[in-house]
Amino acid sequence: RSDTLTMTVISPPAFNCGSTLTDIRDNQAYPTVKIGSQCWLAANLNYGTKINSTRHQRDNCFNEKVSFRSDTY
């Protein structure tokens, strides 16, 4: 048996730290901040489908995120 997988590489647009970073996977926007010489997200990454914290994340080709607090995304 033989399977074929096609991957498309998308180059992100130019980015300057301190401006808003748009995640090309889902178009969510995140503020950034420069601390010393490093660039950091100023908000938590919100990517993937939330799963119950009692379930284990799996390598099932779905982007999953776990939150241990019910009031977070």
Side-chain angles (χ1 to χ4, degrees):
R1 176 178 167 181
S2 176
D3 291 327
T4 302
L5 174 67
T6 302
M7 293 177 54
T8 303
V9 178
I10 301 171
S11 297
F15 171 75
N16 292 315
C17 190
S19 61
T20 300
L21 173 72
T22 300
D23 189 334
I24 62 174
R25 299 170 295 181
D26 60 5
N27 289 318
Q28 290 199 61
Y30 300 96
T32 63
V33 61
K34 189 171 186 176
I35 301 174
S37 62
Q38 297 180 330
C39 189
W40 294 82
L41 287 178
N44 288 332
L45 187 64
N46 183 20
Y47 181 71
T49 301
K50 183 178 176 182
I51 64 172
N52 189 312
S53 63
T54 59
R55 289 181 47 204
H56 295 285
Q57 287 180 299
R58 301 179 299 157
D59 184 10
N60 57 4
C61 297
F62 292 103
N63 298 308
E64 301 168 340
K65 62 183 174 184
V66 176
S67 177
F68 296 98
R69 293 178 35 191
S70 61
D71 62 338
T72 59
Y73 41 77

